[in-house]
Amino acid sequence: MRTDTPVSVKLEEYTPYPFEIDQVSLDFSLEPSETRVKARMTVRRTQPGPLVLDGVKLKLNEIRLDGKTLGPDAYDLTDETLTIRAVPDAFVLETDVTINPSANTALSGLYISGGRFCSQCEATGFRHITYWPDRPDVMSRFHVRMDADKSKYPILLSNGTPGESGDHSDGRHYAEWDDPHPKPSYLFALCAGDYDVWRDTFTTMNGDHVDLGVYVDKGQAKSAEWAMESLKASMKWDEERFGRAYDLGVFNIVAVRDFNFGAMENKGLNIFNSAYVLASQESATDADFEAIESIVGHEYFHNWTGNRITCRDWFQLCLKEGLTVFRDQEFSSDLRSRPVQRIKDVMRLRARQFAEDAGPLAHPARPSKYGSIDNLYTGTVYEKGSELIRALTVFIGIDAFNKGMQIYFNEYDGTASTIEDFYSCFEKASGKDLSQFRLWYAQAGTPEVKVEESWDAASSTLTLTLSQKIPATPGQPTKQPVPIPLRTALLDGKGAHVGVEGWENGEGVIVLEDEKMTVDLKLTGTSDKPLLSINRQFSAPVRIDRELSNEALLELAAAETDPFNIWDNFQTLARTEIFRLLDNPQSPPDEALVGALGDAVRSNESDPAFAALLTALPDIGELFQHREPVDPAGLNDARKRLRKALGENLKADAERILAKPSPAPFKPNAEQAGIRALRSAMIGLTGALDTADASRKLKSLFDAASNMTESLACLRTLVPFETAERDEVIETFYETWKENPLVIDKWFAVQVGQGTADDARRLSQHPDFDLSNPNRVRSVAAAFSMTNLAAFHARDGEGHKVIGDIILEADKRNPALAARLLTSFEQWRKLEPVAKASAEKVLKDLQSQSLSKNASDILARALG
Ligand code: 0A1
Ligand code: ZN
């Protein structure tokens, strides 16, 4: 039976910590299996209450209070806490513990990756290092001293700026680091080992000099160049966009191969999953370059939104994460194409967050309780959190938003804050009461907005009837209406904006605040019935429900001026068509739609990144949300038929586009990436034709490819073929890249992403599969279960079994990883009966095992 049932933590139970710890000195004597950690803290009481410190798997050697060793009767020790019975109002506490980093397979706390020490303390890793009030509202100034074997660990890094360092006579050496900014323990970091470094410098807008370093595996310094460029661009952008400068003389990034998430914003010492640092021209795709830029930006932007202003408690996680995602999305939009960025962000939101919001794991952006904090790093906290800030910019206007941000930075600097604190700044800046807006944070579920139009020619008025409904979610059967700001324009058939009374520049914002409203849009001139373009740029994270015929949608798509809505209209059309094909297995795809989509791709060729997005049909995960019960395999077949028809329509274009050479010399910039994105889309559509000729063509394109984006597009497209070319390409790719783990991760991922459960099983037994490396586990298990829904949910149940088996094994080592993989089952109730029964069985079998707290939390909710 399961042993570790999580107990809920509740927002309403928050109480301040009764002590302040102004200063802490940490002394590490680093050895992989026996690291000694001594802490010396200066403690002051601020309120009545006991001194309780968190600590897990620590061997306590000694505790001293004001220099005197405490006997066992002076404190209480449990598996998770140390309570000192009687303490004065001000005192110095010293602890001495031993930990075993080499046994730390959960990768939380201090652990070893690639023979080097590294740490991960968010959210609750610090308690695996030493006794401490491990909560974000206890902020302290950290001084760190560490010593280690100099030959094995020549580089010793921590937060802040370096202090004294030197050699001991026994082959060990030491270094000190000092961080002048008070911070919570989750931002503590330590790295020790042998690295190569890519260095640079930055001068802030205040004229301060900053030494920058990106620390990577030996021999890979050059692969850190793009991360460094991204870092400098981020530093400059935050100065220009938000007036925020960096505040230390040193900023370091360390790449580690074994890491549970993308990266971590530790003060002055960001630690990154190496997948988001290393990029060489030959081995990285444009998506990799783009992800590195945005994640380097994200972590850097946390310096102000997260570090200088942190969270009072973990319920406020979206205060730092939603805001920082918003900031990184804006950064990418400014550096690249804003409309393309917006489309990609919404694709991700719909795939990840809308799905979560519609299933058993749905939770508010600020939950009122949680079982396991590690499971709160979700699409809702991150992506919906960002969308809410974007919606706020539309609701109060960008000027009030910018003013509110400056109030926030100035008034809350150095504090551990709440969502209410943050919103109070925008209330001040805008003069608006934002209490109803804040309901967005308290209610789960994606609002559905129904839009009805009626046209009165006599008064040249278009009347809109708008209504909102927020679906019931776990624990929240009923909802209150939220303010939904909808950017709107009226267009004539040729795409000219029609003037509306009260609007400027042909666009207005309609805010739906109640359950239902009507708005009269009175035209300033005369016109035929105008076309309605609503939720432009996806101004609010809602589903729009409009009863438009295909003809009307095509007419609207042709007249649209908002690139997001052009793309989205085609998505709606394609989705409707895929469901029609599913219900009519003998029917050919609609020629009018295929023709219009092909024309749209051709006419947008001058913006190839956008044209490439137009070719992307809604994926199965997105289609999943529109029907219940759902048959993913049937949907996949229907989708393939439409894709094949699009491939035929664009065949000559694909040949023409692919006959041109790929841009040379290679640059990872947005312009070239756009060209390669369209070329890759054409490679994919060539494969959709599913002919022997296509297989040969793909093989020759693979042989000729000069960059990873196109090589991988060929490999991905060839995987479903049953041809000799396919086998050869899989083999050649492996032989070429077998020494590069990040590329081999892709090799695993594309095969399971297009293959069957048997492929997933076979690859999970491949000699290069490694349960201790989260990237590798994800490249098989997450790539299969989250991107290949047709095979994962196949009726024979094999997909569910293989993933269930991997989860069970992974959970023994790394609960955070296992819990994340379990979320791939979140839609199980929507499946058709056969697959539904098999998913339920796997989940129940797992539940009968002895699982971690993280995995038990997800299972209980998924089955609940
Ligand atoms: N704060 C990081 C995300 C992160 C969260 C938890 C981690 O380990 C359990 C690691 C990273 C970010 O937003 O990038
Ligand atoms: Zn973050």
Side-chain angles (χ1 to χ4, degrees):
M1 266 314 280
R2 125 178 100 97
T3 48
D4 224 352
T5 316
V7 181
S8 288
V9 184
K10 297 195 176 73
L11 171 59
E12 67 201 21
E13 288 171 3
Y14 172 83
T15 47
Y17 195 65
F19 297 88
E20 276 185 10
I21 307 179
D22 301 318
Q23 172 84 38
V24 55
S25 295
L26 296 170
D27 187 333
F28 290 84
S29 184
L30 296 168
E31 279 298 330
S33 54
E34 260 198 13
T35 285
R36 194 89 182 247
V37 188
K38 294 180 185 163
R40 183 181 192 281
M41 27 192 149
T42 331
V43 191
R44 240 177 345 104
R45 179 186 291 284
T46 51
Q47 298 188 35
L51 182 79
V52 184
L53 305 174
D54 302 295
V56 178
K57 288 194 187 153
L58 309 174
K59 182 172 157 275
L60 179 61
N61 304 318
E62 193 183 5
I63 319 177
R64 280 145 61 107
L65 200 148
D66 285 334
K68 288 204 191 72
T69 300
L70 297 184
D73 52 346
Y75 56 86
D76 294 309
L77 204 53
T78 71
D79 283 351
E80 299 192 348
T81 54
L82 165 66
T83 305
I84 319 273
R85 293 215 178 109
V87 292
D89 286 346
F91 58 99
V92 171
L93 187 72
E94 291 167 277
T95 58
D96 176 344
V97 302
T98 303
I99 56 176
N100 182 355
S102 63
N104 182 352
T105 57
L107 314 186
S108 168
L110 188 67
Y111 64 97
I112 309 280
S113 174
R116 291 175 285 234
F117 287 89
C118 65
S119 63
Q120 172 53 42
C121 292
E122 188 173 6
T124 53
F126 195 72
R127 64 190 63 188
H128 295 259
I129 296 178
T130 193
Y131 287 106
W132 185 261
D134 194 12
R135 43 188 281 171
D137 58 345
V138 176
M139 298 165 83
S140 187
R141 255 181 294 272
F142 282 65
H143 178 269
V144 175
R145 185 181 198 281
M146 63 195 117
D147 71 73
D149 180 327
K150 189 171 182 178
S151 61
K152 290 192 190 133
Y153 312 104
I155 296 175
L156 306 173
L157 305 170
S158 189
N159 315 90
T161 47
E164 207 183 293
S165 62
D167 293 343
H168 295 302
S169 53
D170 56 356
R172 293 179 75 83
H173 70 145
Y174 72 94
E176 295 189 9
W177 286 81
D178 194 55
D179 184 358
H181 300 280
K183 64 169 177 285
S185 51
Y186 82 87
L187 291 172
F188 167 81
L190 179 157
C191 294
D194 199 1
Y195 310 86
D196 270 355
V197 198
W198 186 267
R199 292 186 196 280
D200 210 324
T201 61
F202 184 82
T203 306
T204 71
M205 63 185 188
N206 307 324
D208 294 328
H209 173 93
V210 189
D211 286 321
L212 311 175
V214 182
Y215 291 74
V216 296
D217 278 358
K218 300 296 282 179
Q220 307 224 319
K222 177 85 178 132
S223 298
E225 186 178 8
W226 179 254
M228 181 61 87
E229 290 308 306
S230 305
L231 174 60
K232 289 186 294 176
S234 310
M235 296 177 89
K236 188 155 175 287
W237 184 86
D238 214 15
E239 293 186 345
E240 289 172 354
R241 174 65 182 85
F242 286 104
R244 298 295 116 193
Y246 188 58
D247 52 5
L248 286 166
V250 175
F251 189 93
N252 286 326
I253 289 177
V254 176
V256 303
R257 169 115 177 86
D258 305 290
F259 198 75
N260 276 343
F261 285 75
M264 180 63 212
E265 69 263 24
N266 317 298
K267 182 84 189 185
L269 178 56
N270 286 188
I271 297 181
F272 271 60
N273 186 325
S274 54
Y276 301 113
V277 174
L278 301 174
S280 76
Q281 272 190 27
E282 303 72 39
S283 65
T285 61
D286 289 308
D288 293 329
F289 282 105
E290 212 175 302
I292 291 170
E293 185 177 88
S294 105
I295 296 178
V296 167
H298 180 96
E299 306 310 330
Y300 175 73
F301 302 142
H302 267 313
N303 191 53
W304 274 94
T305 50
N307 300 4
R308 288 189 72 127
I309 308 178
T310 193
C311 301
R312 188 193 71 174
D313 51 67
W314 293 119
F315 294 99
Q316 323 295 329
L317 183 59
C318 134
L319 172 69
K320 76 175 176 81
E321 295 305 347
L323 178 55
T324 306
V325 171
F326 172 77
R327 276 152 55 70
D328 84 54
Q329 291 176 345
E330 285 300 290
F331 168 63
S332 299
S333 303
D334 286 346
L335 258 56
R336 294 170 179 258
S337 153
R338 182 164 285 271
V340 166
Q341 182 67 32
R342 189 69 192 123
I343 293 169
K344 289 183 180 172
D345 290 340
V346 175
M347 284 170 107
R348 192 180 157 87
L349 176 83
R350 284 180 174 158
R352 200 165 112 111
Q353 199 275 324
F354 277 24
E356 181 171 77
D357 233 357
L361 304 181
H363 57 275
R366 184 176 64 183
S368 54
K369 63 174 178 17
Y370 59 77
S372 169
I373 178 59
D374 290 340
N375 293 340
L376 212 64
Y377 292 79
T378 61
T380 298
V381 167
Y382 277 68
E383 271 92 36
K384 185 172 181 176
S386 166
E387 290 299 322
L388 298 186
I389 303 217
R390 190 172 298 281
L392 175 72
T393 67
V394 184
F395 187 53
I396 63 173
I398 193 70
D399 293 340
F401 172 75
N402 288 337
K403 203 169 139 199
M405 283 299 292
Q406 293 311 315
I407 297 174
Y408 180 60
F409 288 130
N410 295 330
E411 289 192 5
Y412 289 93
D413 189 12
T415 68
S417 299
T418 61
I419 303 275
E420 283 78 11
D421 295 336
F422 180 66
Y423 273 84
S424 74
C425 302
F426 299 102
E427 292 194 328
K428 270 189 202 158
S430 67
K432 274 193 179 170
D433 175 356
L434 296 174
S435 47
Q436 192 200 356
F437 193 89
R438 288 208 321 270
L439 281 175
W440 272 105
Y441 287 84
Q443 300 185 145
T446 307
E448 288 161 11
V449 176
K450 195 165 170 56
V451 179
E452 289 159 307
E453 306 169 47
S454 84
W455 170 242
D456 179 38
S459 63
S460 288
T461 301
L462 184 73
T463 300
L464 302 184
T465 304
L466 304 173
S467 53
Q468 62 170 296
K469 208 175 111 232
I470 310 179
T473 48
Q476 293 189 325
T478 57
K479 310 282 160 105
Q480 295 173 54
V482 289
I484 300 176
L486 299 160
R487 243 186 239 288
T488 307
L490 299 186
L491 310 166
D492 72 14
K494 296 194 189 68
H497 286 231
V498 176
V500 172
E501 279 181 8
W503 286 6
E504 279 168 30
N505 307 322
E507 202 176 79
V509 174
I510 299 172
V511 183
L512 169 60
E513 295 189 70
D514 301 326
E515 219 158 283
K516 192 166 183 170
M517 82 188 282
T518 57
V519 207
D520 290 332
L521 304 177
K522 186 158 173 38
L523 308 199
T524 50
T526 49
S527 151
D528 292 336
K529 177 178 186 292
L531 301 169
L532 172 69
S533 166
I534 197 158
N535 208 20
R536 292 164 74 80
Q537 298 169 41
F538 204 68
S539 58
V542 299
R543 291 180 202 278
I544 297 283
D545 174 13
R546 280 174 86 174
E547 285 196 0
L548 285 182
S549 66
N550 281 3
E551 293 68 37
L553 261 172
L554 279 172
E555 192 194 356
L556 183 57
E560 257 297 353
T561 55
D562 175 40
F564 176 83
N565 270 358
I566 296 177
W567 172 83
D568 203 30
N569 282 336
F570 279 114
Q571 290 287 299
T572 307
L573 283 160
R575 189 180 71 226
T576 315
E577 177 64 2
I578 291 169
F579 280 114
R580 191 188 66 81
L581 292 171
L582 174 70
D583 296 335
N584 298 280
Q586 304 307 325
S587 173
D590 176 10
E591 278 175 31
L593 168 60
V594 172
L597 192 46
D599 288 346
V601 173
R602 277 182 286 272
S603 65
N604 280 289
E605 239 179 272
S606 58
D607 184 353
F610 180 63
L613 289 171
L614 285 173
T615 69
L617 302 180
D619 66 29
I620 307 294
E622 160 72 8
L623 296 167
F624 226 82
Q625 297 165 36
H626 294 268
R627 185 166 289 186
E628 198 178 332
V630 63
D631 167 19
L635 271 178
N636 198 36
D637 286 343
R639 185 178 182 275
K640 271 194 186 155
R641 279 152 64 205
L642 181 58
R643 222 169 118 69
K644 183 170 183 184
L646 184 62
E648 279 159 1
N649 183 287
L650 286 164
K651 185 163 186 282
D653 305 279
E655 282 166 8
R656 176 176 49 79
I657 289 168
L658 292 170
K660 290 188 213 153
S662 195
F666 178 94
K667 293 208 179 75
N669 60 26
E671 195 190 334
Q672 281 199 7
I675 297 171
R676 285 187 288 270
L678 186 57
R679 291 173 62 82
S680 302
M682 293 302 148
I683 289 170
L685 287 173
T686 303
L689 300 176
D690 198 17
T691 58
D693 192 39
S695 170
R696 280 191 294 276
K697 175 94 189 136
L698 290 165
K699 166 80 168 62
S700 73
L701 285 165
F702 176 82
D703 291 339
S706 59
N707 57 77
M708 183 53 77
T709 302
E710 292 175 34
S711 300
L712 199 65
C714 294
L715 171 63
R716 177 182 298 113
T717 310
L718 267 170
V719 165
F721 281 75
E722 287 173 10
T723 59
E725 286 98 1
R726 175 241 190 220
D727 296 345
E728 250 177 79
V729 165
I730 290 180
E731 181 62 23
T732 310
F733 192 96
Y734 181 78
E735 283 303 318
T736 313
W737 296 107
K738 62 184 176 203
E739 303 304 330
N740 184 328
L742 295 177
V743 181
I744 294 302
D745 287 340
K746 299 182 202 305
W747 180 81
F748 276 102
V750 291
Q751 290 183 75
V752 298
Q754 310 292 315
T756 61
D758 282 351
D759 294 317
R761 174 82 65 190
R762 179 177 49 81
L763 289 166
S764 73
Q765 288 158 357
H766 189 281
D768 290 352
F769 184 75
D770 176 4
L771 262 179
S772 66
N773 177 246
N775 286 1
R776 186 56 50 83
V777 176
R778 282 187 289 255
S779 75
V780 175
F784 179 68
S785 62
M786 295 181 185
T787 72
N788 188 353
L789 300 189
F792 176 49
H793 295 307
R795 283 204 167 92
D796 64 7
E798 286 306 312
H800 296 148
K801 277 196 208 137
V802 64
I803 296 304
D805 291 348
I806 296 175
I807 289 171
L808 188 57
E809 282 310 303
D811 193 50
K812 294 176 189 152
R813 312 178 58 91
N814 188 334
L817 175 65
R820 178 59 60 103
L821 295 177
L822 260 175
T823 64
S824 61
F825 282 93
E826 72 183 348
Q827 306 291 337
W828 71 275
R829 277 187 207 279
K830 292 206 171 87
L831 292 165
E832 50 72 32
V834 178
K836 182 177 173 183
S838 112
E840 185 171 16
K841 176 161 183 345
V842 168
L843 292 173
K844 292 211 160 134
D845 284 352
L846 281 170
Q847 207 176 30
S848 70
Q849 309 274 338
S850 162
L851 292 184
S852 68
K853 177 174 158 183
N854 288 1
S856 305
D857 172 45
I858 300 282
L859 266 177
R861 287 193 281 145
L863 284 165

